[in-house]
Structures are given as C-alpha cells and as structure tokens.
Amino acid sequence: MTDMATHGDRMKFLHNQWYAAALSTEIGGTPFPRTICGEDVVLFRTAGGTLAALEDRCAHRHAPLSLGTVDGEVIQCAYHGLCFDTDGRCVRVPGQDSVPPQARVRRYPVAERDGWVWLWIGEIDRAAPASIPSLPYFEGSADSAGWAGFQKYFHVKAGAQLFVDNLLDLSHVAFTHRNSIGSSAAADAAFAMEVSVDGTTVRGLRQVFDVEPGPFIANWGNFPGRITRRSRYTWRPPSVIDIEAHFHDAERAITIMVINPITPETETSAHFWIGWARDFALGDRAMTERSVEENTQVIMEDVEVIEAQQRVLSRRPDVRAVPIAADRAVVAVHRVLDRLFADQTTER
Ligand code: FES
Ligand SMILES: [Fe+2]
C-alpha cells in the first residue's frame, strides 16, 4: 500500500468536471447563491423555465447578482439595475441606450438530472452532459419506478475529500454509527472485501456475515435476528459515490440505494447530499418521513467526526494518514485522484 497524500497536498479542485450544485427543487425564480470549488455562482430559472448559472458578480461595480431579481428571461442587479441574460451578457443598462460590450459575466454550463442540478467547472467547450452519472432513483428521474425515498442537502465544515473517504471506508460504520445503522459487534465479524479500478472509476464490494443489523436496519427490514450485509459502492470523479446496500436473512431481503454527491465549497467546506431510495414499502409515506430523520442522524454522526478531523488537519496540514487494510478503496481513489491532478497540472 502506498502512502496517501497529505491533506495539504490535496488542497485544490479538479477542473473539467460536473459537480452537483443543488437539488432541482432548490432552484426557482429567486436567485440562489452557492460557492462551488471556490467560485461564487448564482443559479436561477427564468420565467420561461431556462435553468441558468452565472458568476455571482455584476459586471458594473461587482454587487452579487444573487441580491437581484429574475425578470422574465434576465437577472437584474439590485444595485443599478443592469440586466444579464442566461449567457451572462448584459442586455440592458437603465438610463442609456447602449450596452458596453465588455459588460458580461461568466456563464457556467448547467444540466438537470435525477433531481440534481449539475454545474460544470472548467472549459465551457468541454462540458458534455452525457458524462453526468445516471442515478435514476428519485422523483426527478425519468424512470424511478420501484424506488421510494428522498434527497436532502447538508452543509459540512470540512473538505469534500474527508467525506468521500468516510463513505469509501465502511469499517467506520461499526463505531461511528453504533447507535443507528451499525452494531459494535460488526467490527469483528467475518467479512469479505473487493476493490477494483476501471479507468477512473473505483468499485468496491464489502460483505459482512452473520451480524446484528443495528436498530434502524432491523426496523426497515423487519429482521428479527442476525443478517448478512452486502454493500457495492462506486466512486466516480470528481466526488460522486453511490452505494447499493443489500441486507438479508434466510427469509427477507431489502435493498437501499444511497447516493452521495459531494461538492467542494472551499478547501475546508463542502456541500453534501444524500439521496436515499428503498425497494420496499414503496407507498409508505410515514416510512419516508422516518427515514429522513433516521438518515439525518446517521449523517450528523459522520459530520461530527469529519468536522473535528478538519479542525485537526487545518492545524496540521503536513501529517499523513496511515492506511490500514480497511482503507483499500480509499487508497485506490487517492491514486486515481493523484493521476487526475497530475494530468490537470500538465494540461496547464
Ligand atoms: S453593480 Fe450591478 S448594476 Fe451596478
Ligand atoms: Fe458514515
């Protein structure tokens, strides 16, 4: 196992990538500011329904456009009323007939898929929505038949990679989540793990045999006793993880898809979403509501550790992690990232 990069080495963002920027339901006719990879962006929908993302800075005297309003097909700055179209071109200056040609702001390619708004950070010509991962389990998907669940946003005061590493390392479940989806006994249970790398995609499989399910899973699947847990997970750059979690005993089996896009806000803060979809009790709205609360508890258990980890790393950016056997997927992902960051440096 090779050394992992220090946290300090990783303080940069991958460009020419689609990043989850918001839930589709978050973006309407009111300008919505969000910082993505250190860039301040304003997202909005025009009256005609066009989804747009612009630099959150007016070209005139730099007031944030997110303080303004959407008026028909343009966004109007709250300071002196300049109007910008969805390409970022100024199309009107109140009180004068002409528009200075240099009055424009940067536009970001955006696309909507599976209930998320995805935003391209990088060279505009290279943005191809076909490379957005397909995650068809939610109401915003073209076909989500057979799944029921929810999508929810969390702001995290820690670098995005710390949350990615958390999700790739399922051995923390027995400890961090012992009161929710884990059980401490699982730490010593028999388990099998496989990790494979296919281009820039890393896949893992982890199975734990004959363990207590933990209170939430016992309840979701009506499991009276011990179960087998199987998690298949996929990481794709820049930082999207999906986990197919399968739980079964001799008589019952349930599957839950856990989808986690994680987007850097700054080097030390991140946007995190959980998309959670189950293949059972599809019409049970009370279960959906309960699972929002339960999963929020699970995520906050992670957030508490990760934010504390960030506080340590902010004071000690020079330290290196010491990989253990359970970190195989983490190490594989860091190797792919090293390659992608090296390519990015060469391209410049
Ligand atoms: S700063 Fe936006 S119109 Fe003047
Ligand atoms: Fe966790």
Side-chain angles (χ1 to χ4, degrees), residues 58 60-63 77 79-82:
C58 177
H60 176 221
R61 295 224 306 268
H62 320 308
C77 181
Y79 202 1
H80 314 95
L82 268 68

Coordinates of all heavy atoms in Angstrom, one line a residue, residues 58 60-63 77 79-82, ligand 1:
C58 N -21.9 41.3 -10.5 CA -22.3 42.1 -11.6 C -21.1 42.7 -12.2 O -20.1 43.1 -11.6 CB -23.2 43.2 -11.0 SG -23.8 44.4 -12.2
H60 N -20.9 45.6 -13.6 CA -20.8 47.0 -13.4 C -19.9 47.3 -12.2 O -18.7 47.6 -12.4 CB -22.2 47.6 -13.2 CG -22.2 49.1 -12.9 ND1 -23.0 49.6 -11.9 CD2 -21.5 50.1 -13.4 CE1 -22.8 50.9 -11.9 NE2 -21.9 51.2 -12.7
R61 N -20.3 47.2 -11.0 CA -19.5 47.5 -9.9 C -19.5 46.4 -8.9 O -19.3 46.6 -7.7 CB -19.8 48.9 -9.3 CG -19.6 50.0 -10.2 CD -18.9 51.2 -9.6 NE -19.6 51.7 -8.4 CZ -20.6 52.6 -8.4 NH1 -20.9 53.2 -9.5 NH2 -21.1 53.0 -7.3
H62 N -19.7 45.1 -9.4 CA -19.4 43.9 -8.6 C -20.4 43.6 -7.4 O -20.0 42.9 -6.5 CB -18.0 43.9 -8.1 CG -17.0 44.4 -9.2 ND1 -17.0 43.9 -10.5 CD2 -16.1 45.4 -9.1 CE1 -16.1 44.6 -11.2 NE2 -15.5 45.5 -10.4
A63 N -21.6 44.1 -7.4 CA -22.5 43.7 -6.4 C -22.9 42.2 -6.8 O -22.9 41.8 -8.0 CB -23.8 44.5 -6.5
C77 N -29.6 43.2 -11.7 CA -28.8 43.6 -10.5 C -29.6 44.5 -9.6 O -30.3 45.4 -10.0 CB -27.5 44.2 -10.9 SG -26.4 44.6 -9.5
Y79 N -28.4 46.7 -7.6 CA -27.7 48.0 -7.3 C -28.1 49.1 -8.3 O -28.7 50.1 -7.9 CB -26.2 47.7 -7.3 CG -25.4 48.7 -6.5 CD1 -26.0 49.8 -5.8 CD2 -24.0 48.6 -6.4 CE1 -25.2 50.7 -5.1 CE2 -23.2 49.5 -5.7 CZ -23.8 50.5 -5.0 OH -23.1 51.4 -4.3
H80 N -27.8 48.9 -9.6 CA -28.2 49.9 -10.6 C -29.0 49.4 -11.7 O -29.2 50.0 -12.7 CB -26.9 50.6 -11.1 CG -25.9 51.0 -10.1 ND1 -24.9 50.2 -9.7 CD2 -25.9 52.1 -9.2 CE1 -24.2 50.7 -8.8 NE2 -24.8 51.9 -8.4
G81 N -29.5 48.1 -11.5 CA -30.5 47.6 -12.5 C -30.0 47.0 -13.8 O -30.8 46.7 -14.7
L82 N -28.6 46.8 -14.0 CA -28.2 46.2 -15.2 C -28.8 44.8 -15.3 O -29.0 44.1 -14.3 CB -26.6 46.1 -15.2 CG -25.9 47.2 -15.9 CD1 -26.0 48.5 -15.0 CD2 -24.4 46.9 -16.1
Ligands
FES1 S1 -23.3 46.9 -9.5 FE1 -24.8 45.9 -10.6 S2 -25.8 47.5 -11.7 FE2 -24.2 48.5 -10.6

